[in-house]
Amino acid sequence: MAAANMKAVKLRIKSVQNTMQITKAMQLVAASKLRKAKEKADLSKPYFTIMRETLVDIAKGNTDFQSPYTKQVDNDKWLYVVIAGDRGLAGGYNANLFKFMDSETKGRDYMVLPIGKKSVEYFRHRGVELITEEYAEVAKISVSDCFGIARMICDAYSKGKFGHVLLCYTDFVSMMTQTPRSSSLLPLSDFADEMKKPEDTEKAVRDLILYEPDSETVFNAIVPEYLAGLLYTSINVSVASELAARRTAMEAATDNASEMIEKLSLFYNRARQASITQEITEIVAGAEGN
């Protein structure tokens, strides 16, 4: 009985060791990719910042136009652009995002533009209307894809297919903390507010810029570029968040496996010692009998 028990424990130790090798490898891979992903996210932010500053400058210096992207559309339907991961084994990365989405969409009529395999699978399973499944792999999303997504969103919004566009992604706070967030894409109500702000007349004249053919056309042309920059930055931040979450989860799994091996080894050694003691006792008892 003891021998059979020892054999089962030994097999269990071997199984946990194999699992630990996998989790350790995944931890190292995620850690190596994380540095590059974080750099990519940081490098993509300046483009978004400059585009936003340009839009604000146009909005401040030109109050005589109304962009269709700053107007409230008479449509209560929402479009959510949801950026999730392509794989699991990342702790609560995907689950936390979808839980956040459930609270965001409660009581709303909405459709989803999913980015990432987990996002497509989740909303397809729930029967939510998907605007497209073309961007099912977040790891393969390029800058040109972001421009394509932005133009598609702007075109559909201008046609009144939905009245609000919201971006949901996971923000990289630190190596240990990744937080689901939402960001309004359309309408650009903040720029509408900028246009309403009073501005010093002398400064307005000094900073006056002539746009060709006109400021409204330039503003409307920049909006898709701005949204594309915001999408690309958010995707890079989400990828970095996923890698950080996976690294943390795999590190915890590796530590748990190591702790389990120690406990099983202790149990195995105790069982082995008990078996040896029993054999010695039987030998002594047999010798005394003779």
Side-chain angles (χ1 to χ4, degrees):
M1 184 71 179
N5 201 17
M6 288 170 58
K7 185 177 181 181
V9 173
K10 199 169 184 179
L11 289 173
R12 179 67 172 163
I13 291 173
K14 183 65 175 176
S15 175
V16 175
Q17 286 176 336
N18 292 337
T19 302
M20 188 172 70
Q21 288 179 351
I22 295 172
T23 57
K24 184 65 176 178
M26 293 184 68
Q27 175 191 342
L28 294 174
V29 170
S32 65
K33 289 183 177 180
L34 177 58
R35 182 179 58 83
K36 292 181 179 179
K38 187 67 171 61
E39 289 178 358
K40 194 175 181 181
D42 292 337
L43 289 173
S44 64
K45 288 179 181 179
Y47 176 83
F48 156 72
T49 303
I50 291 172
M51 294 302 293
R52 189 184 190 284
E53 290 175 353
T54 302
L55 286 175
V56 171
D57 287 341
I58 298 175
K60 282 183 176 180
N62 299 270
T63 58
D64 58 342
F65 74 86
Q66 286 291 327
S67 170
Y69 300 120
T70 60
K71 295 179 181 178
Q72 291 284 348
V73 179
D74 188 18
N75 190 335
D76 292 330
K77 196 163 187 116
W78 290 69
L79 171 66
Y80 286 88
V81 182
V82 185
I83 305 172
D86 291 331
R87 296 181 296 165
L89 298 176
Y93 172 77
N94 291 306
N96 291 338
L97 178 65
F98 296 142
K99 186 177 180 180
F100 176 77
M101 268 294 299
D102 289 341
S103 63
E104 282 282 334
T105 58
K106 191 174 182 180
R108 287 177 176 173
D109 180 19
Y110 70 100
M111 63 176 67
V112 172
L113 196 164
I115 298 177
K117 289 181 180 178
K118 292 297 180 181
S119 183
V120 173
E121 291 172 2
Y122 180 80
F123 292 107
R124 185 196 292 158
H125 179 71
R126 292 172 67 89
V128 176
E129 181 184 356
L130 304 181
I131 191 171
T132 180
E133 295 185 20
E134 185 179 351
Y135 307 100
E137 291 189 51
V138 67
K140 293 185 178 180
I141 299 294
S142 63
V143 178
S144 60
D145 290 327
C146 291
F147 282 113
I149 294 171
R151 284 191 290 268
M152 177 175 60
I153 291 173
C154 290
D155 183 59
Y157 181 82
S158 62
K159 293 178 180 177
K161 291 185 177 179
F162 35 78
H164 307 272
V165 184
L166 204 68
L167 172 66
C168 292
Y169 66 103
T170 303
D171 189 23
F172 185 94
V173 180
S174 68
M175 295 292 288
M176 300 299 295
T177 306
Q178 301 82 40
T179 308
R181 296 193 186 280
S182 62
S183 176
S184 178
L185 297 183
L186 293 173
L188 297 172
S189 55
D190 52 345
F191 294 115
D193 294 339
E194 290 285 357
M195 284 186 271
K196 295 175 183 177
K197 289 181 181 179
E199 191 173 2
D200 181 75
T201 306
E202 184 179 349
K203 184 178 184 301
V205 172
R206 185 172 65 251
D207 293 342
L208 183 62
I209 299 174
L210 296 177
Y211 297 94
E212 185 66 34
D214 55 70
S215 56
E216 181 179 350
T217 302
V218 174
F219 185 92
N220 293 339
I222 293 177
V223 169
E225 309 287 323
Y226 164 74
L227 296 184
L230 180 56
L231 277 169
Y232 186 64
T233 301
S234 301
I235 287 172
N236 289 334
V237 169
S238 294
V239 170
S241 298
E242 181 184 6
L243 290 170
R246 181 169 292 111
R247 187 199 66 82
T248 302
M250 291 301 100
E251 183 179 18
T254 302
D255 292 342
N256 290 338
S258 179
E259 184 179 344
M260 187 179 295
I261 288 172
E262 288 181 8
K263 291 181 179 179
L264 288 171
S265 297
L266 181 61
F267 182 82
Y268 176 80
N269 290 333
R270 285 177 178 175
R272 182 171 176 270
Q273 186 64 46
S275 176
I276 293 172
T277 302
Q278 183 180 354
E279 289 179 5
I280 293 173
T281 303
E282 290 175 353
I283 291 170
V284 172
E288 289 178 352
N290 292 331

